[in-house]
Amino acid sequence: MWVNPEEVLLANALWVTERANPYFILQRRKGHGGDGGGGGLAGLLVGTLDVVLDSSARVAPYRILYQAPDSLVYWTIACGCSRKEITEHWEWLEQNLLQTLSIFENENDINTFVRGKIQGIIAEYNKINGIKEDDDTEKFKEAIVKFHKLFGMPEEEKLVNYYSCSYWKGKVPRQGWVYLSINHLCFYSFLMGREAKLVIRWVDITQLEKNATLLFPDMIKVSTRSSEHFFSVFLNISETFKLMEQLANIAMRQLLDNEGFEQDRSLPKLKKKSPKKVSALKRDLDARAKSERYRALFRLPKDEKLDGHTDCTLWTPFNKMHILGQMFVSTNYICFTSKEENLCSLIIPLREVTIVEKADSSSVLPSPLSISTKNRMTFLFANLKDRDFLVQRISDFLQQTTSKIYLDKNISGSYIRTRNTLKFLQRVCMYRTEKTRDLVLKGIPESMRGDLWLLFSGAINEMATHPGYYEDLVEKSMGKYNLATEEIERDLHRSLPEHPAFQNEMGIAALRRVLTAYAFRNPNIGYCQAMNIVTSVLLLYAKEEEAFWLLVALCERMLPDYYNTRVVGALVDQGVFEELARDYIPQLYDCMQDLGVISTISLSWFLTLFLSVMPFESAVVVVDCFFCEGIKVIFQLALAVLDANVDKLLNCKDDGEAMTVLGRYLDSITNKDSTLPPIPHLHSLLSDDVEPYPEVDIFRLIRSSYEKFGSIRADLIEQMRFKQRLKVIQTLEDTTKRNVVRTIVTETSFTIDELEELYALFKAEHLTSCYWGGNSNATERHDPSLPYLEQYRIDFEQFKGMFALLFPWACGTHSDILAARLFRLLDENGDLLINFREFVSGLSAACHGDLTEKLKLLYKMHGQFIELCKTMYNMFSEDPNEQDLYHATAAVTSLLLEIGEVGKLFSVQPPNDTDSSNNCSKAIQSELFQKKEHQQYPLEQDWAITFEQFLASLLTEPALVRYFDKPVSMMARITNAKNIRMRGKPITSASDYEISTMSG
């Protein structure tokens, strides 16, 4: 029978090939003779394996494998119990597929065709015989169970997909499976009685690369701070790598702003005709990736979800042609883009659509669809597959849109009155062609600039669908004060101070309202320097509300992560710019690296879109091009500026001289078409005594940038951004770690290496709680805006786990109670969270303090004498000198009792420490952790003995002195803790993540 294509790791193990052609192989199981028999040692061995290793499902004696040319991977596509059955399948393949396959040009097309054909046959058979398919295959469910069992993962850790591969350790490959879950990359292999495991958290990955070499035909390299890992021979390396990129990106987002992965529950169920079975999470991630590309391509709002797309043609009346391309449909938009890049694109908001109707088919125009808008424009699509289904989907979305518009009292109508121009609204649905771009590159008239910025950026759509939103924000934000508003006030008068519009209170007040409203809309960004410069220019060409939505488009879509507290997006693009400079201007790259100039210029140029470094009338032309073409314009222009100054820069001796060269060049860029009065630039004001630089025409410079660097594509920039984002965020995390360690190293007795490892463990504990839940909110425990030492904080449950792994006094059932007492002592502000400084202070005293410091910490942790005695008895329960320590403790207790000052404490009821560990933990938590608004720790009663008396009594017993005085190997405890945290059991290993069997 035909079977869903399934990968085969070893094509010839236990099988004999009987027939073969360039694409298919017919095999017989060893031990199953073609003449009705087969025995001997081979038959006995194979029969035993079939029964013992696969008792639940006997292996069919015949099978057909598919293998694409030049591939090392085989697929099972059919199996049979008899030679007759398998021969019929073989003959069908030869008659129906062989000739067709020979016309395909690449392996992926052949793979897709074969798999689709086989799955189509199976689907038809199931339909005829009434066989129902399950959304999740049993095989994937088995893989989930196996994943959790192999790697000790909790149920909350969701498996996304798994792939066969080889893991390379040196020159030795290990065949196995890589499991990709939301938070981890895991590998497992079991060969010849040897087991190998690998667990890597996505947040620890510093580099992810896909490349091919002679040794590794299809290889993915995964780098962490401490090691490199190589995986090869994937069935579908592109799919695997894309999924790895997505999961690593989610992890980086979590480090950046706590935004973890939340599964989309609104996805439709898998259709029966779906080309392949995938997990719900994999479908979710695939849908997200498609929606992200869709939104980026058409500059749509960040919450717009792609519903589907299909090939079609669009009739373009301006050149009377049918243009081949794709139609995209989502909840609020119908979009089109041509197959040929930049030939034509179209965005039709559903709020503008009045009629969607099927036209009559003809040989010239098969399956046509007509879409009319409110401004009497009609768009004609044709060659549509599943036209009826498409019309139904659009109708469903239109119905939702009509309801929304009715509720919002006709959004479009109110917007027309606001703009007071029907002509502008007609452009919302205009054809966007290469000619449109050329016109923009030649300069937008001053009167149209604001309108076109709104249109090209997509801000027009968000403003039209959020009436009254800006006014509400302004009302809510005015009069409120925080760090963002303080920074805004400080920078208001530095925003284009030379422009007349910002030399009076009216302009300043408008700028204040826009910046403050945005800070309240998006507190994760709040306010960042350079936003004031960009916003002030937006206000010159757009009304206040329009400028606000343009700022939203810039900060949240067109310049992602540029304006957060750490300007991550700008740093990422700085890395991309360095790569592009190396590829396009290699003769200058080494010189620029030596001078250290690229980082300086890219931050100022990119953050302000050249507005802060170029004369105003020229810089606005750059902004025109940016809104039309996106970030690629800025990269092109930056490279063009460097290219124009290659000779001068090569002769520069230091960064100051290089910056002067570039500054003078940028000052000289002119816009002779501008009708604005010349506004002197700050840099030129400071260098009036220098001989003027020859004038450079801005339009000629832009044209030159397209001629020399126009091959830079937006999708290439996104690929490069991913690579740089990993590097930038991990570098920022390392910087944070170094700053923490530098701040705290003088306060403790730990070495720098120990502190760095402890910080990594502390942060990992926080992230684990983000993955699998915790008692407190993740945003409470991680706030990047706080001082370095307080950015990561842990709650009691997290502290309890770290106490058990790192503190020398943790042992036995009393460990949780002791952890709670120490947590109470360290939590100085009573917010039920402790930061790294507080954590290290307690650990340092317990591990590296002298005898007096350790005993003082122990003394402070207890409110009663009997509690202290019970703690000491429990501490020694697993010590080799347990008996001696018990006798010594008894002697000290007797000595303290003889002092006679503790009698009054016996009336106090001690905690019920005889309960089980769980009951003890619950009791101490209920005692310590009441609601914050009513929280008050138990009142500590005055001790009847002083610390000095406690210390003096304990010093009389050598066994106790030796116990508290013995050195603690902190690094050994840290290594053990890391292994337990990553693999669930203590294993000593030189690497953070490698199991010792990998070294063989």
Side-chain angles (χ1 to χ4, degrees), residues 61 242 368 568 593 730 884 900:
K242 282 179 183 175
V568 170
Q593 288 292 96
Q730 297 293 20
D884 291 343

PDB file of all heavy atoms in Angstrom, residues 61 242 368 568 593 730 884 900:
ATOM      1  N   PRO A  61       7.566  -7.035   4.291  1.00  0.00           N
ATOM      2  CA  PRO A  61       8.778  -7.578   3.671  1.00  0.00           C
ATOM      3  C   PRO A  61       9.228  -6.850   2.404  1.00  0.00           C
ATOM      4  O   PRO A  61      10.339  -7.050   1.947  1.00  0.00           O
ATOM      5  CB  PRO A  61       8.389  -9.026   3.353  1.00  0.00           C
ATOM      6  CG  PRO A  61       6.895  -9.017   3.267  1.00  0.00           C
ATOM      7  CD  PRO A  61       6.428  -7.962   4.210  1.00  0.00           C
ATOM      8  N   LYS A 242      15.082  27.697   8.967  1.00  0.00           N
ATOM      9  CA  LYS A 242      14.098  28.775   9.172  1.00  0.00           C
ATOM     10  C   LYS A 242      13.422  28.638  10.528  1.00  0.00           C
ATOM     11  O   LYS A 242      13.185  29.629  11.225  1.00  0.00           O
ATOM     12  CB  LYS A 242      13.054  28.754   8.057  1.00  0.00           C
ATOM     13  CG  LYS A 242      13.543  29.360   6.749  1.00  0.00           C
ATOM     14  CD  LYS A 242      12.474  29.281   5.678  1.00  0.00           C
ATOM     15  CE  LYS A 242      13.000  29.830   4.346  1.00  0.00           C
ATOM     16  NZ  LYS A 242      12.012  29.657   3.258  1.00  0.00           N
ATOM     17  N   PRO A 368     -12.297  35.476 -13.763  1.00  0.00           N
ATOM     18  CA  PRO A 368     -12.013  36.864 -13.341  1.00  0.00           C
ATOM     19  C   PRO A 368     -12.786  37.260 -12.077  1.00  0.00           C
ATOM     20  O   PRO A 368     -13.843  36.703 -11.774  1.00  0.00           O
ATOM     21  CB  PRO A 368     -12.474  37.691 -14.533  1.00  0.00           C
ATOM     22  CG  PRO A 368     -13.541  36.867 -15.173  1.00  0.00           C
ATOM     23  CD  PRO A 368     -13.229  35.423 -14.885  1.00  0.00           C
ATOM     24  N   VAL A 568      18.773  48.827  20.205  1.00  0.00           N
ATOM     25  CA  VAL A 568      19.191  47.540  19.657  1.00  0.00           C
ATOM     26  C   VAL A 568      19.087  47.522  18.136  1.00  0.00           C
ATOM     27  O   VAL A 568      19.996  47.059  17.445  1.00  0.00           O
ATOM     28  CB  VAL A 568      18.343  46.397  20.269  1.00  0.00           C
ATOM     29  CG1 VAL A 568      18.583  45.087  19.537  1.00  0.00           C
ATOM     30  CG2 VAL A 568      18.664  46.239  21.738  1.00  0.00           C
ATOM     31  N   GLN A 593      37.560  50.015   9.731  1.00  0.00           N
ATOM     32  CA  GLN A 593      37.608  49.225  10.957  1.00  0.00           C
ATOM     33  C   GLN A 593      38.723  49.737  11.867  1.00  0.00           C
ATOM     34  O   GLN A 593      38.541  49.872  13.086  1.00  0.00           O
ATOM     35  CB  GLN A 593      37.854  47.745  10.643  1.00  0.00           C
ATOM     36  CG  GLN A 593      36.654  47.043  10.019  1.00  0.00           C
ATOM     37  CD  GLN A 593      35.492  46.907  10.984  1.00  0.00           C
ATOM     38  OE1 GLN A 593      34.575  47.718  10.986  1.00  0.00           O
ATOM     39  NE2 GLN A 593      35.540  45.901  11.825  1.00  0.00           N
ATOM     40  N   GLN A 730      23.275  39.365  22.517  1.00  0.00           N
ATOM     41  CA  GLN A 730      24.168  38.606  23.407  1.00  0.00           C
ATOM     42  C   GLN A 730      25.319  39.480  23.889  1.00  0.00           C
ATOM     43  O   GLN A 730      25.758  39.359  25.034  1.00  0.00           O
ATOM     44  CB  GLN A 730      24.712  37.367  22.682  1.00  0.00           C
ATOM     45  CG  GLN A 730      23.646  36.345  22.273  1.00  0.00           C
ATOM     46  CD  GLN A 730      22.977  35.670  23.452  1.00  0.00           C
ATOM     47  OE1 GLN A 730      22.998  36.150  24.568  1.00  0.00           O
ATOM     48  NE2 GLN A 730      22.359  34.523  23.202  1.00  0.00           N
ATOM     49  N   ASP A 884      29.702  12.702  65.337  1.00  0.00           N
ATOM     50  CA  ASP A 884      30.511  13.666  66.101  1.00  0.00           C
ATOM     51  C   ASP A 884      29.829  15.032  66.142  1.00  0.00           C
ATOM     52  O   ASP A 884      29.837  15.717  67.174  1.00  0.00           O
ATOM     53  CB  ASP A 884      31.899  13.815  65.468  1.00  0.00           C
ATOM     54  CG  ASP A 884      32.742  12.563  65.629  1.00  0.00           C
ATOM     55  OD1 ASP A 884      32.394  11.721  66.499  1.00  0.00           O
ATOM     56  OD2 ASP A 884      33.729  12.417  64.885  1.00  0.00           O
ATOM     57  N   GLY A 900      21.159  29.971  81.389  1.00  0.00           N
ATOM     58  CA  GLY A 900      19.979  30.327  82.171  1.00  0.00           C
ATOM     59  C   GLY A 900      19.198  31.504  81.640  1.00  0.00           C
ATOM     60  O   GLY A 900      18.240  31.952  82.266  1.00  0.00           O
TER      61      GLY A 900
END
